[in-house]
Amino acid sequence: MRKTIKISLSVASLLLLSVHPVLAANADNITGLSTQVVFIITIIVSIIFGLILTRVAAENRQAKGRMFATKAKGRGELDPNEVLQELKGLSGSAKNQKKAAMAISSLLEEKVDEKMTIVKQELTDKYGKLVEEKSKAAADAQKKFKKTLNEKKQTEAIVRSVAAGVVVVNNKGEVLLMNPAAEKLLDTKKEDKVGRQLTEDAKEEQLFSIAKATSLDGATDIEIDGDENTKKTLRSSSAVIEDENGQTVGMVTVLNDVTKQKELDEMKSQFLSNVTHELRNPIGAIKQSIAVILEGTAGELSEPQEKFLSNAKRNLDRLSSLVDDILDLSKLEAKKMELTLKPSSIATVINEVRVTLDTWTKNKGIHLVKNIQEDLPEINIDPNRIIQVLINIISNAIKFTPIDGTITLGAELSDKKNELIMTVSDTGVGIPKEDLPKIFGKFQQAKNRAAGDKSGTGLGLTIAQELVGLHGGEISVESKEGQGTTFTFTLSMNLTEESSSK
Ligand code: ADP
């Protein structure tokens, strides 16, 4: 408005300046009244002019405002600074400002709506997908859970119905699972044991035996003391449970009541021992009689008679050694074998063995070599039993070593000097790899024997192992087919009557 007045006044001044020389030149002819009229007309004309200019300017600003809105809409964006500038430019008219503001606001609203719709759609899609994925994962998890639950139920049912006792402990020794058979065998209640140490609050000796047994791998027999009816033997086999990283997470123990089996085994051993004992005397008597006849004391023998009697003697010898072996083994298994310990020179023991086997080795052309450490101290052993061990091992070596082979007998003190290490090496046929783990078993013979070879009982090494064990030692074998075999056994240097009877 102020601009309009300014323009009107400037136009009036210009008109006045332009009419002034005309008025001055005709001053004389023009009266004072007409001068005033001219002035007034000039002012009115100026005002009209000013108003026209103002109107034109307003129209211009409106057109500019519309153009700006269209431009912004065309670009699809609104620059806040631009809008501010444009609004400033429109400050001349409140009405126009309001109009422009409304246009911008509606445009903004439109834009915001548009953006909102896009964002909303994007979010709906995104969250829809997410929800879909989550529901699929939840369904999968549910399926897996159900499957695992079913498997768990199945496993529990199997474990429950297994006739053997099953006890599972974690790595802290706390009971995780115990089936009804185990409850019965251990005479305890699952509820009292689950989550607790197996040995906790155990009054019974049996639980301590179980705890001791569960720390071992392989099968262990546990004798549970009690009266005639409650006394039993449990055979426990334990296995370590490992997670996927190989960490021990617990142990599973399977318990079997082998009381009856043990009783039967004992009865069988007892029967064998009785029978063999009863056979021993008649066999001895027959052997002696045959020996007398073969010597010719009872009269001269024809060739066929001597042949048949020699054959009978050989078979009788075999029978006699079988009877002796069975008797020895029964005694060893029943822990009734008693050692007669005495300080002995191992060189003397070895010499006795050599003398016993001398004829056989010479007949077969085998070289028996000694490799004995000098100045070996005396050792507390049952010399007759160690001679038996050496004869069992060396007679096998002679049997399985071809003519001209060598058998080396070694004896030396261990580094700690607490053991005597004895070795018997031969250059014989060797033992097939697959037979090595079983040759110490009862009545076990390897497949390296010649077809039709019926010699031996398969008890020699079993007895040797038991006797070495009684002397506080261990026996082992190394063999390569076609190259030879080495048996090594140890004997404790500190053996006493008490330690040998354990
Ligand atoms: P056996 O009465 O048959 O000799 P053992 O228990 O003494 O019974 O030996 C078991 C088996 O081990 C033998 O039958 C034989 O097959 C094998 N064996 C033992 N020692 C040797 C050896 N030095 N060389 C080859 N095989 C052997």
Side-chain angles (χ1 to χ4, degrees), residues 342-354:
K342 58 176 176 193
S344 317
S345 145
I346 209 70
T348 313
V349 167
I350 289 174
N351 266 340
E352 276 202 43
V353 174
R354 273 182 63 137

Side-chain angles (χ1 to χ4, degrees), residues 396-397 399-400 426 429-431 439 444-446 448-449 455-462 485 487:
N396 278 332
K399 250 192 274 178
F400 294 98
D426 63 53
V429 295
I431 302 169
I439 56 162
Q444 296 291 330
Q445 295 184 314
N448 54 2
R449 302 159 64 84
S455 66
T457 57
L459 287 176
L461 290 177
T462 318
T485 305
F487 281 91

Side-chain angles (χ1 to χ4, degrees), residues 133-145:
E133 276 168 18
K134 289 278 164 217
S135 346
K136 204 170 160 267
D140 283 354
Q142 179 78 6
K143 234 189 209 169
K144 276 186 194 156
F145 175 71

Side-chain angles (χ1 to χ4, degrees), residues 272-342:
L272 258 179
S273 155
N274 289 345
V275 171
T276 43
H277 199 265
E278 290 305 315
L279 282 174
R280 209 182 206 178
N281 292 338
I283 291 172
I286 300 168
K287 259 167 86 173
Q288 254 180 352
S289 306
I290 292 179
V292 170
I293 300 170
L294 277 174
E295 274 167 18
T297 324
E300 215 166 297
L301 292 171
S302 67
E303 210 176 295
Q305 280 171 335
E306 197 184 328
K307 203 176 136 203
F308 282 119
L309 270 178
S310 297
N311 196 15
K313 187 185 173 287
R314 263 200 311 280
N315 281 302
L316 214 57
D317 283 344
R318 273 186 55 209
L319 185 63
S320 167
S321 83
L322 174 67
V323 165
D324 287 348
D325 280 356
I326 292 175
L327 269 175
D328 281 346
L329 197 62
S330 327
K331 268 196 212 157
L332 283 163
E333 285 187 335
K335 311 248 180 283
K336 283 184 185 151
M337 171 78 77
E338 277 176 21
L339 296 183
T340 313
L341 296 181
K342 58 176 176 193

